[in-house]
Amino acid sequence: MPMQIPQLKPSFIENISQRSLHEIAFEVAQLFLSEEVSDAEIQSIITDTLNFEIPLVQLQSNVYCLELFHGPTFAFKDIGARFMARLFARFLKDENRQIHILVATSGDTGSAVANAFWNVPNIDVTILYPSGKVSLLQEKQLTTLCGNINALEIDGTFDDCQHLVKQAFADNSLQAKVNLASANSINLARLIPQSFYYFWAYAQYVAKWGSAKIAVCVPSGNFGNLTAGLFAKKMGLPIHQFIAATNANDVVPQYLSSGNFVPRTSLQTISNAMDVGNPSNFSRIMALYDDNLELVRKNIVGYSFSDDETRATMKAVAQKYNYVLDPHGAVAYAAIAKHQQSNPDVVGVFFETAHPAKFDNVVEDAIGVPPVIPHELATLATKEKVATKMKAHYELLKAYLLQ
Ligand SMILES: *Cc1c(COP(=O)(O)O)cnc(C)c1O
């Protein structure tokens, strides 16, 4: 956590609708980084990171979708991972150091991290993924870049991969020889850039549709994305309400209704990037509101949905609005719709966090036709996979990293 959340000038918010995404991102990033990173460097990190559109699309009179999936791996995690990679590179260049990033992935994080760190100087990346347990496209996203990106196909589960990574981080004899670093979503360098697009969503809304009471709905798992929005509000962005939308892994909505935070082992769902039973950003949320349940409730409302409800939402939205949601965005849409039943005066902005083509089987199952596959994803399928197969034994991983 930052010691305190910096404040934006009120005039920045008043004039925000006249600013571009890059201008907004620069102002916000400067508040966090200006003591250590020059303006010119912040500017270049931002233009490199955000080299794609983040449009706000109207679905119906009071529901809007912020499409966060136009990055290279078609998921919102590109934004945090790309920013972090460039920030790491900037500090490593100064310190003349080399680091080795080690990540375990069940799919989306690995591909965003691999893509973001590809060809970044002074950085090697090793990604552990469970053999046969990620989708074909996800596997290709991890295993076809090569260069400084190494893929380890582990004979085991995601938990085995994560356990191996934790053992490596706890091994002092390894750390003495290899400068290991993590790229998971606890890293603040991923949260800061995720606050940019809350401002950008607001700016686009005000520019096109004027002022309103805006509720932002975030499909959540580890709650990094939603926490970045809470940062934005603390910095001065006038968001009326946050809506936390989850699948059956509803630890946070349960907390909001009962006042008890009870972590559980995660359940498998069709919105699998949100299958988190003990969200690591919960303690950040509590810290932002001084552990005050009533304050948390004033800012965040929570809803959760079953897989059947998620599929029904995808089908209804495709029929009514001719818009194809991915299963994560569908959970968020369902939450906005439910919230507006008792709060009809609120304008809902929900985040679409992944391109539906990344979950083509789930989408086809729900709406009856497959989603359109973007050219970049289609060509991936033809590229050759390069991965090192490994049994889930720590000594094997250690030998690999040392060599
Ligand atoms: C990671 C992910 C989420 C959940 O984001 P958190 O910041 O962990 O809450 C939602 N949707 C998609 C597509 C994701 O990849």
Side-chain angles (χ1 to χ4, degrees):
M1 279 297 278
M3 296 287 278
Q4 60 208 146
I5 306 292
Q7 297 296 306
L8 286 157
K9 291 193 201 77
S11 61
F12 172 76
I13 304 291
E14 280 155 29
N15 302 318
I16 198 165
S17 63
Q18 290 144 41
R19 294 179 198 249
S20 69
L21 171 61
H22 287 177
E23 287 167 349
I24 290 170
F26 176 73
E27 293 265 345
V28 175
Q30 229 195 359
L31 287 181
F32 286 98
L33 302 175
S34 63
E35 280 177 21
E36 293 182 81
V37 186
S38 75
D39 283 0
E41 285 167 325
I42 297 175
Q43 197 79 65
S44 94
I45 291 172
I46 283 167
T47 36
D48 278 4
T49 300
L50 299 171
N51 62 349
F52 48 87
E53 301 286 298
I54 306 179
L56 183 70
V57 176
Q58 181 171 32
L59 246 68
Q60 61 200 70
S61 69
N62 57 353
V63 177
Y64 299 77
C65 173
L66 188 72
E67 293 185 345
L68 291 166
F69 56 76
H70 295 285
T73 74
F74 299 92
F76 87 99
K77 288 190 175 75
D78 280 329
I79 298 162
R82 287 168 69 78
F83 187 87
M84 176 168 63
R86 284 155 184 80
L87 203 55
F88 271 27
R90 150 70 179 70
F91 285 113
L92 289 171
K93 194 177 81 189
D94 266 21
E95 297 165 12
N96 195 18
R97 282 204 300 155
Q98 187 88 25
I99 57 168
H100 198 126
I101 292 190
L102 197 58
V103 257
T105 187
S106 55
D108 271 0
T109 299
S111 44
V113 167
N115 199 286
F117 284 90
W118 188 42
N119 287 337
V120 174
N122 301 326
I123 299 182
D124 284 311
V125 180
T126 296
I127 296 170
L128 285 72
Y129 72 95
S131 182
K133 295 190 177 65
V134 302
S135 77
L136 177 72
L137 283 179
Q138 283 175 328
E139 181 173 41
K140 294 278 177 156
Q141 284 183 318
L142 301 174
T143 58
T144 57
L145 291 168
C146 304
N148 63 330
I149 310 296
N150 312 290
L152 291 184
E153 180 177 358
I154 302 294
D155 186 9
T157 62
F158 169 64
D159 288 337
D160 293 327
C161 297
Q162 198 155 39
H163 187 62
L164 289 169
V165 167
K166 285 188 179 161
Q167 281 177 287
F169 280 110
D171 181 344
N172 292 331
S173 69
L174 175 65
Q175 297 264 19
K177 300 208 176 84
V178 186
N179 212 345
L180 290 183
S182 150
N184 70 23
S185 70
I186 292 174
N187 198 313
L188 194 68
R190 276 176 63 175
L191 284 205
I192 292 170
Q194 287 178 8
S195 68
F196 302 161
Y197 47 72
Y198 286 84
F199 292 95
W200 176 233
Y202 180 83
Q204 290 183 80
Y205 184 86
V206 173
K208 281 201 202 140
W209 295 286
S211 68
K213 249 166 101 173
I214 293 178
V216 179
C217 183
V218 187
S220 296
N222 245 328
F223 281 78
N225 209 5
L226 192 133
T227 302
L230 303 177
F231 279 21
K233 185 169 181 179
K234 285 252 166 167
M235 283 183 250
L237 185 66
I239 299 219
H240 176 65
Q241 185 101 65
F242 290 92
I243 302 174
T246 73
N247 56 33
N249 296 283
D250 61 350
V251 171
V252 170
Q254 284 295 336
Y255 165 76
L256 291 166
S257 72
S258 73
N260 297 319
F261 183 68
V262 189
R264 298 191 301 254
T265 50
S266 63
L267 301 166
Q268 207 177 338
T269 74
I270 55 168
S271 47
N272 60 15
M274 313 193 321
D275 293 350
V276 180
N278 187 5
S280 53
N281 284 288
F282 180 74
S283 46
R284 280 198 173 120
I285 296 177
M286 295 314 291
L288 277 170
Y289 297 112
D290 298 326
D291 288 308
N292 180 329
L293 173 63
E294 286 319 308
L295 265 183
V296 178
R297 279 181 173 150
K298 226 182 109 191
N299 284 280
I300 312 170
V301 292
Y303 300 96
S304 77
F305 298 92
S306 69
D307 282 354
D308 282 346
E309 289 171 312
T310 306
R311 277 188 283 259
T313 302
M314 291 164 78
K315 190 170 182 186
V317 170
Q319 284 174 344
K320 256 197 197 151
Y321 305 112
N322 197 24
Y323 190 89
V324 180
L325 291 166
D326 98 295
H328 306 80
V331 170
Y333 180 91
I336 273 286
K338 195 158 181 179
H339 186 71
Q340 284 177 331
Q341 284 171 9
S342 46
N343 299 271
D345 59 326
V346 162
V347 167
V349 169
F350 73 97
F351 287 175
E352 181 44 298
T353 46
H355 193 292
K358 282 196 98 166
F359 301 91
D360 50 350
N361 294 334
V362 177
V363 172
E364 181 167 5
D365 188 32
I367 70 173
V369 286
V372 175
I373 310 284
H375 175 70
E376 294 88 337
L377 276 180
T379 55
L380 250 189
T382 66
K383 289 193 186 159
E384 199 193 334
K385 155 183 162 183
V386 180
T388 305
K389 286 201 171 209
M390 192 176 279
K391 292 229 180 295
H393 295 317
Y394 177 64
E395 290 310 317
L396 296 174
L397 175 64
K398 182 171 182 173
Y400 178 88
L401 292 171
L402 284 170
Q403 148 252 306

